[in-house]
Amino acid sequence: MKTIIEPFRIKSVEPLRRTTPEQRERLLVEAGYNLFQLHASDILLDLLTDSGTSAMSTGQWAAMMRGDESYAGSDSFYRLKAVVDDLTGFRHVIPTHQGRAAERILFSTMCKPGHVVPSNTHFDTTRANIEFNGAEAVDLPLPEAADTQARIPFKGNMDVAALQRLIENAGAARIPLVMITVTNNSGGGQPVSMANIEAVRAVTKRAGIPLYIDACRFAENAWFIRRDESGYGEMSPKQIAQKMFSLADGCTFSAKKDAFANIGGMLCTNDDRLAELETNLLILTEGFPTYGGLAGRDLDAIAVGLEEVLQPEYLEYRIASTAYLGRHIADHGVPIVEPPGGHAIYIDAGRMLPHIPREQFPGQALAVELYRHAGVRSVEIGSLMFGDKAHFELLRLAIPRRVYTQSHIDYLVEAILEVNERKDRIRGFRIESEPPMLRHFTARFKPVL
Ligand code: F0G
């Protein structure tokens, strides 16, 4: 059979909640045209993020009942640790309540003012945590990735030559670590090849700089390697993931993505001295090192999720269903970041709405229009989120894992194509009020008339 189907059936359902266009217009005004400020009950399809929004399996719910809530030395922790040991091989596994808690602990132990932390592309929380510690976050994407329309595989790779130049210019002593984000979320959800991780490893090893993986979507990345990189077609996603982790000195991880968990994260490292500093900090804000801000049952859900996410039939369905959305809109004239990535489709709003200058946030304008038209929530990834560090003006349609079916996606395709037909009438926005940091969450906007 050629048809790729959802590799699950549905046992428990949540009703969708509908609103009328008139209600949505009023809700948008009340929210200051900021979709983060809407109530979730006013959204039909919520594609704001793939983070923490997965449907858990019967296996995960059953595992939660086994959760051991002991303060110290919980069985749940040791079950999680066994899975992570097998997958990553890292010496220290430090649970945290989510990915950014791992980032905060990692960067506050490793970074000082004057330091520089390169990445293929930093995610917003990664960048913010580095900058909060006075260091500089530098993105080194491939030059070819500047063209959103270029259909090249592994467009999420790091520019290794640029990394080498940065190390020569800044000096290795100012670079406490190099990060590589798989898949490259801010760069369009594009994967990173094993060859690229190996090349980055070779450069960092020579310079004596530790390499950390931001592993949020490690399993999706492993599937792309298996599908598109020569020499990996016969390896299992797990074997590929093991090899990816074996090239690094540690990782940060948000279990809210490729572990199907609603909350959770991890910081892993091979450095004993660092692990000690990190666990001391962990106790201050997250908790004892065998629970790190999570309930025992959460640790069990993550342990099961980490195994389920590597099943080939799941990953084949996951990557094919994201591509289904991408092809159906791109082949009808909507410019997306090509080729389709793993967890989301990114519309190149700058290209789709050339009449809206970047100071008027084309991605935000498109997000508002898609909500107004069809009740779909998406997120701007551009000048609003990243200010002058933005590489593109994108609208991200993130696909929660195992949550929506093909007919939901067909509805979405119809909505996007209808919005595309009258794109010339979409207007930009000006910021009316904004906070000093992470303005995309709370800024209020006014439409430009
Ligand atoms: N790194 C990457 C690449 C991410 O995508 C995220 C979160 C984090 C780190 C932080 O993890 O949310 O558990 O603290 N990304 C979500 C998103 C929020 O919508 O892309 P967290």
Short mmCIF file of all heavy atoms in Angstrom, two decimals, residues 397-422:
data_model
loop_
_atom_site.label_atom_id
_atom_site.label_comp_id
_atom_site.label_asym_id
_atom_site.label_seq_id
_atom_site.Cartn_x
_atom_site.Cartn_y
_atom_site.Cartn_z
N LEU A 397 3.32 27.59 10.88
CA LEU A 397 2.16 26.74 11.15
C LEU A 397 2.73 25.48 11.78
O LEU A 397 3.19 24.58 11.07
CB LEU A 397 1.43 26.40 9.85
CG LEU A 397 0.96 27.60 9.02
CD1 LEU A 397 0.84 27.23 7.55
CD2 LEU A 397 -0.37 28.13 9.56
N ALA A 398 2.78 25.42 13.10
CA ALA A 398 3.38 24.27 13.78
C ALA A 398 2.32 23.19 13.95
O ALA A 398 1.17 23.48 14.27
CB ALA A 398 3.92 24.68 15.15
N ILE A 399 2.71 21.95 13.73
CA ILE A 399 1.74 20.85 13.78
C ILE A 399 1.91 20.06 15.08
O ILE A 399 2.91 19.34 15.23
CB ILE A 399 1.93 19.88 12.58
CG1 ILE A 399 2.25 20.62 11.28
CG2 ILE A 399 0.70 18.99 12.44
CD1 ILE A 399 1.12 21.33 10.64
N PRO A 400 0.96 20.17 16.01
CA PRO A 400 1.03 19.37 17.22
C PRO A 400 1.09 17.87 16.86
O PRO A 400 0.48 17.46 15.87
CB PRO A 400 -0.27 19.71 17.95
CG PRO A 400 -0.64 21.07 17.46
CD PRO A 400 -0.20 21.08 16.01
N ARG A 401 1.82 17.10 17.63
CA ARG A 401 2.02 15.69 17.28
C ARG A 401 0.79 14.82 17.63
O ARG A 401 0.32 14.86 18.76
CB ARG A 401 3.25 15.14 18.01
CG ARG A 401 4.54 15.78 17.52
CD ARG A 401 5.74 15.47 18.40
NE ARG A 401 6.92 16.18 17.90
CZ ARG A 401 7.14 17.49 18.08
NH1 ARG A 401 6.28 18.21 18.78
NH2 ARG A 401 8.20 18.07 17.57
N ARG A 402 0.32 14.07 16.65
CA ARG A 402 -0.76 13.09 16.80
C ARG A 402 -2.10 13.73 17.18
O ARG A 402 -2.94 13.06 17.77
CB ARG A 402 -0.39 12.02 17.86
CG ARG A 402 0.96 11.33 17.64
CD ARG A 402 1.18 10.12 18.50
NE ARG A 402 1.36 10.40 19.90
CZ ARG A 402 2.04 9.62 20.75
NH1 ARG A 402 2.61 8.49 20.30
NH2 ARG A 402 2.15 9.91 22.03
N VAL A 403 -2.30 15.00 16.87
CA VAL A 403 -3.48 15.73 17.35
C VAL A 403 -4.52 15.97 16.25
O VAL A 403 -5.70 15.74 16.47
CB VAL A 403 -3.04 17.07 17.99
CG1 VAL A 403 -4.23 17.97 18.28
CG2 VAL A 403 -2.27 16.79 19.28
N TYR A 404 -4.07 16.45 15.10
CA TYR A 404 -5.00 16.78 14.03
C TYR A 404 -4.94 15.72 12.93
O TYR A 404 -3.91 15.09 12.71
CB TYR A 404 -4.68 18.17 13.46
CG TYR A 404 -4.93 19.29 14.46
CD1 TYR A 404 -3.88 20.08 14.94
CD2 TYR A 404 -6.20 19.53 14.95
CE1 TYR A 404 -4.11 21.10 15.86
CE2 TYR A 404 -6.44 20.54 15.88
CZ TYR A 404 -5.40 21.33 16.32
OH TYR A 404 -5.63 22.32 17.24
N THR A 405 -6.09 15.55 12.25
CA THR A 405 -6.17 14.54 11.19
C THR A 405 -6.05 15.23 9.83
O THR A 405 -5.99 16.45 9.74
CB THR A 405 -7.52 13.80 11.24
OG1 THR A 405 -8.55 14.77 10.98
CG2 THR A 405 -7.76 13.16 12.60
N GLN A 406 -6.06 14.41 8.79
CA GLN A 406 -5.87 14.96 7.45
C GLN A 406 -6.98 15.95 7.07
O GLN A 406 -6.72 16.93 6.37
CB GLN A 406 -5.80 13.82 6.43
CG GLN A 406 -5.45 14.33 5.05
CD GLN A 406 -5.12 13.22 4.09
OE1 GLN A 406 -4.86 12.09 4.50
NE2 GLN A 406 -5.11 13.52 2.81
N SER A 407 -8.22 15.74 7.54
CA SER A 407 -9.27 16.69 7.13
C SER A 407 -9.09 18.04 7.83
O SER A 407 -9.45 19.08 7.29
CB SER A 407 -10.68 16.12 7.36
OG SER A 407 -10.89 15.86 8.71
N HIS A 408 -8.51 18.05 9.01
CA HIS A 408 -8.17 19.34 9.62
C HIS A 408 -7.16 20.08 8.73
O HIS A 408 -7.25 21.29 8.53
CB HIS A 408 -7.54 19.15 11.01
CG HIS A 408 -8.49 18.61 12.03
ND1 HIS A 408 -8.24 17.45 12.72
CD2 HIS A 408 -9.67 19.08 12.48
CE1 HIS A 408 -9.24 17.23 13.56
NE2 HIS A 408 -10.12 18.19 13.43
N ILE A 409 -6.22 19.33 8.22
CA ILE A 409 -5.19 19.95 7.37
C ILE A 409 -5.80 20.41 6.04
O ILE A 409 -5.46 21.47 5.52
CB ILE A 409 -4.00 18.97 7.14
CG1 ILE A 409 -3.37 18.58 8.49
CG2 ILE A 409 -2.96 19.58 6.20
CD1 ILE A 409 -2.76 19.70 9.29
N ASP A 410 -6.77 19.64 5.53
CA ASP A 410 -7.43 20.06 4.28
C ASP A 410 -8.20 21.38 4.50
O ASP A 410 -8.20 22.25 3.64
CB ASP A 410 -8.39 18.96 3.79
CG ASP A 410 -7.62 17.77 3.22
OD1 ASP A 410 -6.44 17.94 2.81
OD2 ASP A 410 -8.17 16.66 3.21
N TYR A 411 -8.82 21.50 5.66
CA TYR A 411 -9.52 22.76 6.01
C TYR A 411 -8.51 23.91 6.04
O TYR A 411 -8.75 25.00 5.52
CB TYR A 411 -10.20 22.58 7.37
CG TYR A 411 -10.75 23.85 8.00
CD1 TYR A 411 -12.06 24.25 7.78
CD2 TYR A 411 -9.94 24.65 8.81
CE1 TYR A 411 -12.57 25.42 8.36
CE2 TYR A 411 -10.43 25.81 9.39
CZ TYR A 411 -11.74 26.19 9.16
OH TYR A 411 -12.22 27.33 9.74
N LEU A 412 -7.36 23.65 6.64
CA LEU A 412 -6.32 24.66 6.75
C LEU A 412 -5.82 25.08 5.36
O LEU A 412 -5.64 26.28 5.09
CB LEU A 412 -5.16 24.07 7.59
CG LEU A 412 -3.90 24.88 7.71
CD1 LEU A 412 -4.16 26.18 8.46
CD2 LEU A 412 -2.82 24.07 8.44
N VAL A 413 -5.61 24.10 4.48
CA VAL A 413 -5.15 24.39 3.12
C VAL A 413 -6.16 25.31 2.44
O VAL A 413 -5.79 26.34 1.84
CB VAL A 413 -4.96 23.08 2.32
CG1 VAL A 413 -4.77 23.36 0.83
CG2 VAL A 413 -3.78 22.28 2.87
N GLU A 414 -7.45 24.97 2.56
CA GLU A 414 -8.50 25.79 1.94
C GLU A 414 -8.44 27.22 2.48
O GLU A 414 -8.49 28.19 1.71
CB GLU A 414 -9.86 25.15 2.24
CG GLU A 414 -11.02 25.85 1.59
CD GLU A 414 -12.38 25.20 1.97
OE1 GLU A 414 -12.40 24.01 2.37
OE2 GLU A 414 -13.39 25.92 1.90
N ALA A 415 -8.30 27.35 3.79
CA ALA A 415 -8.26 28.68 4.42
C ALA A 415 -7.07 29.49 3.90
O ALA A 415 -7.19 30.67 3.55
CB ALA A 415 -8.19 28.53 5.94
N ILE A 416 -5.91 28.86 3.83
CA ILE A 416 -4.70 29.60 3.41
C ILE A 416 -4.83 30.02 1.95
O ILE A 416 -4.49 31.15 1.59
CB ILE A 416 -3.44 28.73 3.62
CG1 ILE A 416 -3.21 28.49 5.12
CG2 ILE A 416 -2.21 29.38 3.00
CD1 ILE A 416 -2.17 27.44 5.43
N LEU A 417 -5.36 29.14 1.12
CA LEU A 417 -5.48 29.50 -0.30
C LEU A 417 -6.50 30.62 -0.48
O LEU A 417 -6.31 31.50 -1.33
CB LEU A 417 -5.84 28.26 -1.14
CG LEU A 417 -4.76 27.17 -1.15
CD1 LEU A 417 -5.15 26.01 -2.06
CD2 LEU A 417 -3.39 27.71 -1.58
N GLU A 418 -7.55 30.65 0.33
CA GLU A 418 -8.51 31.75 0.24
C GLU A 418 -7.88 33.07 0.69
O GLU A 418 -8.08 34.11 0.06
CB GLU A 418 -9.76 31.44 1.08
CG GLU A 418 -10.65 30.42 0.38
CD GLU A 418 -11.89 30.04 1.18
OE1 GLU A 418 -12.09 30.57 2.30
OE2 GLU A 418 -12.63 29.17 0.69
N VAL A 419 -7.11 33.01 1.76
CA VAL A 419 -6.41 34.23 2.23
C VAL A 419 -5.43 34.70 1.15
O VAL A 419 -5.31 35.89 0.86
CB VAL A 419 -5.70 33.96 3.57
CG1 VAL A 419 -4.72 35.08 3.91
CG2 VAL A 419 -6.73 33.80 4.69
N ASN A 420 -4.77 33.75 0.51
CA ASN A 420 -3.78 34.09 -0.52
C ASN A 420 -4.43 34.81 -1.70
O ASN A 420 -3.82 35.69 -2.32
CB ASN A 420 -3.08 32.82 -1.00
CG ASN A 420 -1.89 33.11 -1.90
OD1 ASN A 420 -1.09 33.99 -1.58
ND2 ASN A 420 -1.78 32.41 -3.01
N GLU A 421 -5.68 34.45 -2.00
CA GLU A 421 -6.35 35.09 -3.13
C GLU A 421 -6.58 36.58 -2.93
O GLU A 421 -6.66 37.32 -3.89
CB GLU A 421 -7.70 34.40 -3.40
CG GLU A 421 -7.55 33.29 -4.40
CD GLU A 421 -8.80 32.46 -4.54
OE1 GLU A 421 -9.91 33.02 -4.38
OE2 GLU A 421 -8.65 31.24 -4.78
N ARG A 422 -6.76 36.97 -1.66
CA ARG A 422 -6.99 38.41 -1.46
C ARG A 422 -5.89 39.02 -0.60
O ARG A 422 -6.11 39.91 0.22
CB ARG A 422 -8.37 38.64 -0.85
CG ARG A 422 -8.69 37.76 0.29
CD ARG A 422 -10.16 37.88 0.65
NE ARG A 422 -10.46 37.03 1.78
CZ ARG A 422 -10.05 37.25 3.01
NH1 ARG A 422 -9.33 38.28 3.31
NH2 ARG A 422 -10.38 36.40 3.98
#
